[in-house]
Amino acid sequence: MGKGFKYSSVEQIFNIQMEHGEGPIWDNVTKSFYWVDLLQGDFHKGDLSTKKTEKVNIGQALGVIGLHTANQFILATRDGFGTFDSKSKTFKLINPIPETLDPQVRFNDGVMGPDGKFYAGTMNWEGKEGYGKFFRFNSDGRYDILEQNHCIPNGMGWNMKMDTFFMIDTGHHCIYSFNYIKDSGQLQDKKVFKQFGSNEHPDGMAIDSQNHFWIAMWGSSKIIHLDEKGMFVEEIPLPVKYPTSCCFGGEQLNLLFITSSRLLLNEAERVRDTLSGNNFILETSHRAQKEYRFATSIFKS
């Protein structure tokens, strides 16, 4: 980073303004940062060293992406799970999912699991209660519904021991925890791990190698950093009202990439808040967890 860059200072990167930036992931093999403009259906790639970017539109809302190989990805889209080949620029819907063929529902956020499976949640387009479901997409193209009756399933991840899974529900203003059974992949003993106030809206998050939580607070112009017990560590102010999510990456895996939205800004706010919808980067003393990739079989068909 540039001279004078200090911990808990934030810089803009790539200078691309999204309507609703989301789904940030870092690929430590290709040294690339990926993110989406969710409602526009845009798939973005950024090179941190050259600052060059690429964009492909898949033709429908794109909630989140997961890594497979250097050129192949799993997507959770408006109509269901699909694959994307960045070399050929080809998007393929695996099978439409009945739950997302409901025009009131779309995929929102997700994460790649240590079991090589892709986890993602759905929500009502307007964030209404009860539409949210939580899915696990398997390497054979089948999927399981793990949870129902959520509002807005959002940031997800595991602790370092891989025995606990965490998921934010923005509409419920909380982080849920589950016992994760490695052998079966089952989620058990659901609990509220962290309850936020009714005026607080946790969105996407990253869990680092110290089991700390970094959470984008929608509508609050900040990232909050919690320790492994959910206790407050620090607050990182941002120059945008609506941060959406974050992930760790960079050569030392200690950079926090942050996405943001300008979707809800009115006309006056859009003129004034010129950085909203951009990406940002923060150097930290923490590092990413291990990177997971999708199992292979659906790409062989």
Side-chain angles (χ1 to χ4, degrees), residues 16-118:
I16 296 178
Q17 191 168 51
M18 277 73 62
E19 186 73 4
H20 189 66
E22 269 282 9
I25 59 171
W26 171 262
D27 185 345
N28 201 40
V29 173
T30 63
K31 309 300 181 186
S32 300
F33 173 56
Y34 298 95
W35 74 97
V36 306
D37 194 343
L38 193 153
L39 301 179
Q40 300 298 319
D42 291 334
F43 181 110
H44 289 267
K45 175 184 178 180
D47 186 305
L48 197 58
S49 59
T50 65
K51 301 301 189 291
K52 291 182 178 179
T53 62
E54 301 174 26
K55 181 182 78 171
V56 177
N57 186 273
I58 69 161
Q60 60 177 276
L62 170 56
V64 65
I65 57 184
L67 300 173
H68 175 46
T69 67
N71 297 311
Q72 294 174 317
F73 302 83
I74 293 293
L75 311 183
T77 73
R78 180 193 66 199
D79 293 342
F81 292 106
T83 61
F84 179 73
D85 188 298
S86 62
K87 193 172 184 179
S88 64
K89 307 294 192 294
T90 302
F91 165 65
K92 177 184 177 183
L93 190 67
I94 301 299
N95 280 309
I97 293 177
E99 289 80 7
T100 57
L101 292 182
D102 179 346
Q104 299 183 86
V105 174
R106 64 168 173 82
F107 271 104
N108 183 55
D109 205 348
V111 67
M112 190 63 67
D115 52 5
K117 299 175 183 180
F118 191 40

Side-chain angles (χ1 to χ4, degrees), residues 169-174 194-202 217:
D169 190 317
T170 302
H172 293 172
H173 311 280
C174 73
K194 175 73 174 182
Q195 184 68 57
F196 295 87
S198 60
N199 62 337
E200 296 179 298
H201 300 88
M217 299 300 290

